[in-house]
């Protein structure tokens, strides 16, 4: 009877919570033009050109204003409301292009491809004070062949870099890591070995998990492959094929949050290019089915994905309106379900090569746009994301409330989503324990900023009974119960 009462209370709470969510309408603010010069400014088509940590947002691109392409950087310290002047990061007579930025605390990492040495090499630059000052350029590769299209990710002080490299006679995927925030670098690591083209990689890290995805032609047409490391890039498991169809699968993007891994790409299996998605609930051990995210007669291409405990966010270029526009799609439950497509841009010119980043409850998008007669860098933000209205007290620095959002675990639906709102910033721990106090899952264990969050809990494999989930923010702790009957 007690467990039945608990279930009824949770169902009531879930109903209240769902009502609050459905009445909340996320608002994207107007487009913001970040560059203003008579030359071309380009984002990177397959890599992350935007990153955010708390209220600081970092953007990178390559720019021709100096008579050759150089890497530029721009920063906002108020969550994207206003932006500081452009900062030129490179200065040489060769071409520098296709940058990628990643951030961990005050460490900002920028990588790009550079031909100052007579052939394409991968270069790196870092800031240890959040983008105020920058160290010297560091050359990461040194061979007579082309090293291009780099991507980066960082977890604590471990920086991971991937790129495509033809030193072996054909393009292969290479990896390099720094264990100390870019101070020193390990050797180049060749991740794959086949006679076909492998390129356009994307990388994401979550703790000691490193996931790399790329486009691979070993099967006769481009397919999406992935490879993972569970020890921060020190060793690697075998590559695995993620797509399997007779058409072309191009340009993947990956984002990992906890043990959830999200991959998007564009695929021609439907007769035209559409955006597809695939998820792993267990850090890449197993993968769900391909999910088609778009469905229109025009081309949808070059997606970018960013995930956090608050959801999964995807942007891409789409021609359904007669010209290329930037579209956005959101999953509030870790990729299990998806909301409708949302058009972010609306002008007669082309908008494409978008990147997306998320920090707390805010979502940031960056792309290149030629509405001004030449390509410029544009930015758009949703400061509240798909924000939840909190339940409970408004005491600063404490959780407002947290509750089961998507059913309670039961034999027919062993997954649930726990949603919560916090005020202020701090280290947050969300864990699940059994009735005797043994920890069965860690859903969140990281620094979070003020906002609304969701975390998925999978009760597959657990015995029936009562479980407790505990949310700790600083010295504040709240404990709730859930029931799993078998």
């Amino acid at each position: 009877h007690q467990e039945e009462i608990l279930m009824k209370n949770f169902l009531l709470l879930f109903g209240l919570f769902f009502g609050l969510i459905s009445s909340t309408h996320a608002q994207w603010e107007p487009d913001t033009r970040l560059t203003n010069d008579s030359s071309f400014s380009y984002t990177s088509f397959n890599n992350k050109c935007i990153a955010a940590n708390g209220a600081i947002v970092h953007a990178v691109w390559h720019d021709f204003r100096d008579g050759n392409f150089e890497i530029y950087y721009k920063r906002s310290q108020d969550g994207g409301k206003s932006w500081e002047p452009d900062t030129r990061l490179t200065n040489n007579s060769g071409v520098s292009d296709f940058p990628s930025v990643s951030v961990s605390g005050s460490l900002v990492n920028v990588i790009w491809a550079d031909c100052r040495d007579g052939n394409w090499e991968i270069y790196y630059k870092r800031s240890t004070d959040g983008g105020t000052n920058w160290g010297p350029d560091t050359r990461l590769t040194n061979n007579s062949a082309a090293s291009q299209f780099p991507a980066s990710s960082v977890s604590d002080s471990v920086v991971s870099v991937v790129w495509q490299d033809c030193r072996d006679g054909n393009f292969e995927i290479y990896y390099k890591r720094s264990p100390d925030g870019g101070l020193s670098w390990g050797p180049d690591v060749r991740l794959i070995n086949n006679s076909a083209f492998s390129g356009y990689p994307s990388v994401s890290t979550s703790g000691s998990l490193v996931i790399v995805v790329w486009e691979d032609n070993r099967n006769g047409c481009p397919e999406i492959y992935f490879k993972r490391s569970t020890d921060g890039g020190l060793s690697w498991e075998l590559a695995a094929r993620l797509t399997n169809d007779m058409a072309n699968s191009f340009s993947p993007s990956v984002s990992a949050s906890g043990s959830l891994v999200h991959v998007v790409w564009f695929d021609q299996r439907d007769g035209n290019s559409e955006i597809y998605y695939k998820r792993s609930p267990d850090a890449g051990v197993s993968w769900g089915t391909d999910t088609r995210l778009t469905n229109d007669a025009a081309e949808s291409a070059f997606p970018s994905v960013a995930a956090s405990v608050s959801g999964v966010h995807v942007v891409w270029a789409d021609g359904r309106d007669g010209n290329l526009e930037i579209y956005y799609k959101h999953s509030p439950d870790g990729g299990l379900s998806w909301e409708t497509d949302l058009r972010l841009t609306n002008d007669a010119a082309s908008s494409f090569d978008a990147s997306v980043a998320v920090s707390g409850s805010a979502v940031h998008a960056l792309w290149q746009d030629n509405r001004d007669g030449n390509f410029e860098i544009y930015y758009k933000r949703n400061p509240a994301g798909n924000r939840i209205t909190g339940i409970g007290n408004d005491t600063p620095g404490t959780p407002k409330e947290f509750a089961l959002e998507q059913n309670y675990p039961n034999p027919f639906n062993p997954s649930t989503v726990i949603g919560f709102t916090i005020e202020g910033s701090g280290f947050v721990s969300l864990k699940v324990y059994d009735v005797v106090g043994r920890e069965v899952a860690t859903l969140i264990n990281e620094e979070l900023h003020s906002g609304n969050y969701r975390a998925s809990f999978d009760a597959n494999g657990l015995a029936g009974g009562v479980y407790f989930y505990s949310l700790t923010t600083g010295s504040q702790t709240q404990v709730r119960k859930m029931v799993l009957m078998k």
Side-chain angles (χ1 to χ4, degrees):
H1 291 297
Q2 186 175 7
E3 289 182 354
E4 185 177 354
I5 293 171
L6 278 172
M7 284 190 289
K8 289 179 178 178
N9 288 338
F10 276 127
L11 284 171
L12 176 61
L13 190 53
F14 166 71
L16 292 171
F17 198 68
F18 181 80
L20 287 167
I21 294 171
S22 61
S23 65
T24 302
H25 183 65
Q27 294 292 331
W28 284 84
E29 295 180 351
D31 303 353
T32 299
R33 182 177 173 179
L34 294 191
T35 59
N36 194 341
D37 62 86
S38 59
S39 193
F40 297 112
S41 304
Y42 293 133
T43 48
S44 301
F45 67 88
N46 188 43
N47 302 322
K48 294 295 178 59
C49 286
I50 190 166
N53 183 46
I56 303 180
V57 188
H58 312 269
V60 292
W61 67 94
H62 54 285
D63 200 297
F64 199 71
R65 71 183 73 172
D66 308 296
N68 67 303
F69 279 110
E70 303 285 359
I71 305 302
Y72 273 77
Y73 165 83
K74 201 175 186 80
R75 176 177 73 169
S76 170
Q77 296 199 70
D78 55 10
K81 292 180 185 177
S82 61
W83 290 82
E84 297 173 357
D86 302 353
T87 298
R88 182 177 172 179
L89 294 187
T90 60
N91 192 345
N92 66 82
S93 59
V95 173
S96 305
D97 63 9
F98 294 107
S100 172
V101 62
S102 57
V103 60
S104 175
S106 59
L107 173 65
V108 187
N109 309 283
V110 177
I111 61 167
W112 67 94
D114 201 298
C115 69
R116 70 181 76 174
D117 308 296
N119 65 301
W120 289 105
E121 302 286 0
I122 305 302
Y123 272 76
Y124 166 83
K125 200 177 191 81
R126 74 171 190 159
S127 170
T128 59
D129 55 11
T132 301
N133 299 288
W134 292 87
D137 300 356
T138 300
R139 182 176 173 178
L140 295 188
T141 60
N142 192 341
N143 67 82
S144 59
S147 305
Q148 294 175 294
F149 302 117
S152 69
S153 185
V154 59
S155 181
D156 295 326
S157 61
V158 178
V159 187
S160 293
V161 175
V162 292
W163 68 96
Q164 68 181 52
D165 199 298
C166 69
R167 70 182 75 174
D168 310 296
N170 63 302
F171 277 108
E172 303 282 7
I173 305 301
Y174 273 76
Y175 170 84
K176 200 177 188 82
R177 77 189 290 271
S178 169
D180 49 17
L183 277 175
S184 63
W185 291 85
D188 300 357
V189 176
R190 183 177 174 179
L191 292 188
I192 56 174
N193 191 341
N194 67 76
S195 60
F197 170 84
S198 303
Y200 310 122
S202 177
V203 61
S204 185
T205 53
S206 177
S208 60
L209 175 68
V210 187
I211 297 283
V212 179
V213 296
W214 68 93
E215 179 186 313
D216 199 299
N217 204 34
R218 70 182 74 175
N219 307 109
C221 64
E223 299 284 2
I224 307 304
Y225 274 74
F226 98 101
K227 199 177 185 86
R228 75 168 191 160
S229 169
T230 58
D231 55 11
L234 294 174
S235 63
W236 292 86
E237 299 177 0
L238 294 175
R241 183 176 174 178
L242 288 187
T243 60
N244 194 343
D245 61 84
M246 298 301 294
N248 299 317
S249 303
F250 294 120
S251 192
S253 175
V254 62
S255 182
S257 177
S259 61
L260 285 175
V261 184
H262 313 272
V263 179
V264 292
W265 68 96
F266 69 97
D267 201 297
Q268 294 178 333
R269 70 184 72 175
D270 308 297
N272 64 304
S273 296
E274 301 285 1
I275 307 301
Y276 272 76
Y277 164 82
K278 201 177 189 84
R279 77 191 287 269
S280 170
D282 48 18
V285 175
S286 63
W287 292 84
T289 58
D290 300 356
T291 299
R292 182 177 174 179
L293 295 188
T294 59
N295 194 340
D296 62 84
E299 299 296 307
S300 304
F302 298 111
S304 173
V305 62
S308 71
V309 291
S310 61
V312 189
H313 310 268
V314 179
V315 294
W316 69 94
D318 201 297
R320 71 183 73 175
D321 307 297
N323 64 301
L324 288 174
E325 301 285 2
I326 305 302
Y327 272 74
Y328 164 82
K329 202 174 187 80
H330 171 251
S331 170
D333 52 13
L336 294 174
S337 64
W338 292 86
E339 297 170 356
T340 56
D341 302 354
L342 177 65
R343 182 177 173 180
L344 293 189
T345 60
N346 193 343
D347 63 85
S350 294
S351 307
F352 56 95
D353 287 354
S355 291
V356 64
V358 60
S359 178
S361 58
V363 186
H364 310 273
L366 190 81
W367 69 94
Q368 64 187 49
D369 199 300
N370 70 347
R371 70 182 74 174
D372 309 297
N374 64 301
F375 279 104
E376 301 284 0
I377 306 303
Y378 272 77
Y379 163 83
K380 197 179 190 85
R381 74 171 192 154
N382 186 334
N386 286 268
R387 194 178 179 103
I388 310 164
T389 302
I391 309 168
N393 69 73
D394 292 310
T395 305
T398 67
K400 294 178 74 174
E401 187 59 89
F402 68 126
L404 291 182
E405 181 186 329
Q406 177 193 293
N407 210 345
Y408 51 87
N410 61 66
F412 306 104
N413 180 17
S415 296
T416 191
V417 175
I418 300 169
F420 62 92
T421 304
I422 58 172
E423 303 289 337
S425 301
F427 195 85
V428 174
S429 179
L430 178 59
K431 298 184 177 183
V432 180
Y433 300 88
D434 64 16
V435 72
V436 296
R438 291 174 298 199
E439 183 181 327
V440 298
T442 298
L443 307 183
I444 298 171
N445 202 44
E446 61 182 295
E447 182 89 9
L448 296 180
H449 300 276
S450 177
N452 303 276
Y453 298 89
R454 295 177 172 94
S456 299
F457 171 61
D458 189 346
N460 272 307
L462 294 180
V466 178
Y467 290 83
F468 299 83
Y469 53 109
S470 167
L471 177 74
T472 303
T473 57
S475 60
Q476 302 290 328
T477 302
Q478 294 188 11
V479 177
R480 294 290 187 272
K481 299 177 183 178
M482 65 179 76
V483 176
L484 173 61
M485 297 189 306
K486 289 189 176 180

